[in-house]
Amino acid sequence: MKRLLYLVALSGLLSGLPAQANDTNVKQYPVDKQSGLIMAPGWELVNYQCNACHSSLIIPQNGGDEAFWRETIQWMIDTQGLWDLSETWDPVLQYLSTNYPASSDIPMDIFRRLPLESDALPEKPATPGEKG
Ligand code: HEC
């Protein structure tokens, strides 16, 4: 009986551990098979808006903090015809920077090869105002 109590107490302790303890809290969400997106809070907003022009698989190939994601999205708004995210800006940035931070490993069970190094990529198209 003592042993049983001990086990009950132990499992209670373990289940109470904060998810962040081992830095895998991002991975506790399943990945949606179709979009390749981590199904963490806010993923639907990204799934609705970020599949229209390219596959959302472009998202796990990139990573960065909130400033990185803000800049990437702003670039699409300024040059690629992406609409203003209006009230979804914050939850979208929150979702992306949390689940696709700079350090995130590219999931090689989804991708065939690593993306090209940025210096091997062509220049991004100029913004309309910059055209000479
Ligand atoms: C209106 C069209 C459009 C929509 C909608 C769109 N994008 Fe893009 N996005 C583009 C184009 C065009 C490119 C550049 C071409 C490419 O790499 O396929 C691009 C490239 C990217 C890149 C790669 C940037 C780089 O530096 O190589 C990422 C990451 C990205 N988009 C994320 C998103 C996210 C997140 C959303 C949703 C908020 C989104 N896109 C919605 C048009 C769009």
Side-chain angles (χ1 to χ4, degrees):
M1 186 59 193
K2 235 183 176 170
R3 201 187 158 97
L4 182 66
L5 278 178
Y6 173 74
L7 280 177
V8 169
L10 185 69
S11 63
L13 264 181
L14 287 178
S15 62
L17 284 179
Q20 251 117 331
N22 50 11
D23 202 28
T24 55
N25 66 327
V26 160
K27 299 219 166 75
Q28 70 188 300
Y29 296 102
V31 171
D32 176 49
K33 281 221 173 70
Q34 204 180 350
S35 65
L37 292 171
I38 297 169
M39 295 164 84
W43 83 279
E44 296 98 332
L45 292 173
V46 171
N47 193 30
Y48 292 150
Q49 302 191 85
C50 309
N51 267 309
C53 306
H54 49 62
S55 163
S56 52
L57 283 174
I58 204 168
I59 293 167
Q61 287 178 325
N62 287 268
D65 59 9
E66 201 180 301
F68 164 86
W69 283 110
R70 185 184 294 280
E71 193 185 314
T72 303
I73 292 173
Q74 192 63 53
W75 169 78
M76 283 177 280
I77 291 173
D78 293 343
T79 65
Q80 307 300 323
L82 174 59
W83 47 89
D84 192 294
L85 301 195
S86 30
E87 75 278 5
T88 69
W89 260 113
D90 286 347
V92 163
L93 288 177
Q94 177 71 31
Y95 169 84
L96 292 170
S97 57
T98 305
N99 295 287
Y100 301 100
S103 59
S104 65
D105 286 334
I106 293 177
M108 293 310 292
D109 50 338
I110 300 181
F111 296 107
R112 187 171 56 84
R113 62 161 178 79
L114 290 172
L116 296 174
E117 294 295 332
S118 56
D119 59 4
L121 293 172
E123 290 278 306
K124 278 199 175 115
T127 55
E130 284 170 1
K131 272 183 207 144

